[in-house]
Amino acid sequence: MTTTSTTTTGLPRLPLGDWVADGVDWVTSTFRGLFDQIRAVLEWCYGSLDTLLGGPPFWLVALLLAAIALLVKGWRLAVGSLVGFALIAAVDQWSNAMNTLALVILASVVALVLAIPLGIWCARNDRVSQFVRPVLDLMQTMPAFVYLIPTVVIFRVGVVPGIVATVIFAMAPGVRFTELGIRQVDREVVEAGHAFGSGERRILRQIQLPLAMPTIMAGVNQVIMLSLSMVVISGMVGAAGLGRDVVTALQRVNMSLGFEAGVSVVILAVFLDRVTAALADRSPVARALRTTDA
């Protein structure tokens, strides 16, 4: 607690930070059991993903990832991905890259599980949208480092605070793009569904979501990219992966280690970005729009 009662401008000091700290302490002590359960679940999910990606020989995982690139985009992305993965292995960053990929996948999935239903709710309820919009603005403009403070207090040092902070930081585009995509669906198409006797759930499932899918997939792409951007910050709280090497390189002013870890992050980012963008282009609606434009 601060001992001063006025600010440097002479105004009475508002102890806003103290109130927030007290609130976090109360939440931590009150819901400690729940947070321990969440920590255990996230650690198990992360450990399983990390074992799945890092356990097999690197060439097998690299071939499987390149096969995904081949299926969704083509041989150029597949070959480029193989070259990139070979470079990651050559600089001895493969294990760290798989740690990072596991963290990004888990955080992205959790963020999307929360963001897409919330985006649908916002699109169907203007009051909810008006309430959620400033919260999303706050989530996107708050410095990412700030999220680490309460998450470390609640979940303690390790990979879990990094995952939770990443989810908070990355889920806003998922909500926004989902709401935007559904709101952009032609009202006449929705009214036609009502005219044929379709209920709200069926209209959402068979009309609104398919037509909004290209926009929703753009949101998925942004969620993944923002999750990857949190890698370095997650490394500051003990999360394994490339972020920890970047932090170590910064602390030791190790140019070679920092460059190798940074290049590995870039390769993962390019792979994930191209694959998710290709998945959006392969949706039936996106193909129909390209056919119409042609």
Side-chain angles (χ1 to χ4, degrees):
M1 300 289 291
T2 182
T3 58
T4 60
S5 58
T6 60
T7 66
T8 55
T9 59
L11 297 175
R13 184 185 183 279
L14 181 67
L16 179 61
D18 298 332
W19 295 342
V20 172
D22 292 340
V24 171
D25 290 339
W26 179 83
V27 169
T28 302
S29 60
T30 304
F31 301 101
R32 170 54 64 191
L34 175 61
F35 293 140
D36 288 342
Q37 292 296 322
I38 294 174
R39 177 185 176 91
V41 170
L42 290 178
E43 284 181 338
W44 181 84
C45 292
Y46 172 78
S48 301
L49 270 175
D50 189 32
T51 301
L52 181 64
L53 293 171
F58 90 90
W59 56 266
L60 178 60
V61 178
L63 286 175
L64 289 175
L65 294 176
I68 294 174
L70 178 64
L71 289 174
V72 301
K73 185 66 175 179
W75 67 269
R76 290 185 178 86
L77 180 59
V79 172
S81 299
L82 275 178
V83 172
F85 295 146
L87 177 60
I88 292 175
V91 297
D92 198 23
Q93 289 289 346
W94 182 257
S95 178
N96 288 332
M98 294 303 100
N99 294 151
T100 296
L101 185 59
L103 188 152
V104 169
I105 291 174
L106 179 56
S108 299
V109 169
V110 174
L112 291 171
V113 167
L114 297 174
I116 292 178
L118 182 57
I120 294 172
W121 192 16
C122 291
R124 300 169 73 90
N125 191 313
D126 290 337
R127 291 186 178 179
V128 174
S129 179
Q130 292 172 0
F131 174 78
V132 170
R133 191 175 297 118
V135 177
L136 297 178
D137 293 338
L138 177 65
M139 291 168 60
Q140 287 189 291
T141 55
M142 182 73 71
F145 288 93
V146 177
Y147 294 130
L148 294 180
I149 302 172
T151 54
V152 168
V153 171
I154 293 173
F155 296 103
R156 300 185 293 276
V157 174
V159 69
V160 175
I163 294 173
V164 175
T166 300
V167 169
I168 297 172
F169 181 71
M171 68 177 289
V175 178
R176 292 187 188 277
F177 277 83
T178 301
E179 179 183 2
L180 177 64
I182 293 178
R183 286 185 179 275
Q184 286 181 335
V185 174
D186 194 340
R187 290 181 180 272
E188 295 182 357
V189 178
V190 177
E191 291 173 359
H194 284 298
F196 282 99
S198 299
E200 292 294 336
R201 291 186 178 180
R202 187 173 182 181
I203 289 174
L204 175 65
R205 186 177 64 255
Q206 297 184 357
I207 296 177
Q208 291 177 316
L209 285 178
L211 292 176
M213 192 54 63
T215 305
I216 294 174
M217 287 303 300
V220 172
N221 177 274
Q222 290 301 303
V223 168
I224 293 175
M225 290 299 99
L226 287 178
S227 297
L228 193 56
S229 72
M230 286 286 288
V231 165
V232 176
I233 298 176
S234 299
M236 298 182 67
V237 293
L242 297 170
R244 186 164 61 184
D245 271 11
V246 172
V247 173
T248 301
L250 178 62
Q251 292 172 342
R252 300 177 181 176
V253 197
N254 188 331
M255 178 68 73
S256 61
L257 179 61
F259 183 80
E260 291 171 356
V263 167
S264 301
V265 171
V266 171
I267 293 171
L268 285 181
V270 171
F271 171 78
L272 292 172
D273 177 63
R274 297 295 186 271
V275 168
T276 53
L279 287 173
D281 291 338
R282 287 169 62 89
S283 68
V285 174
R287 290 199 297 266
L289 289 174
R290 287 197 299 270
T291 303
T292 302
D293 292 339

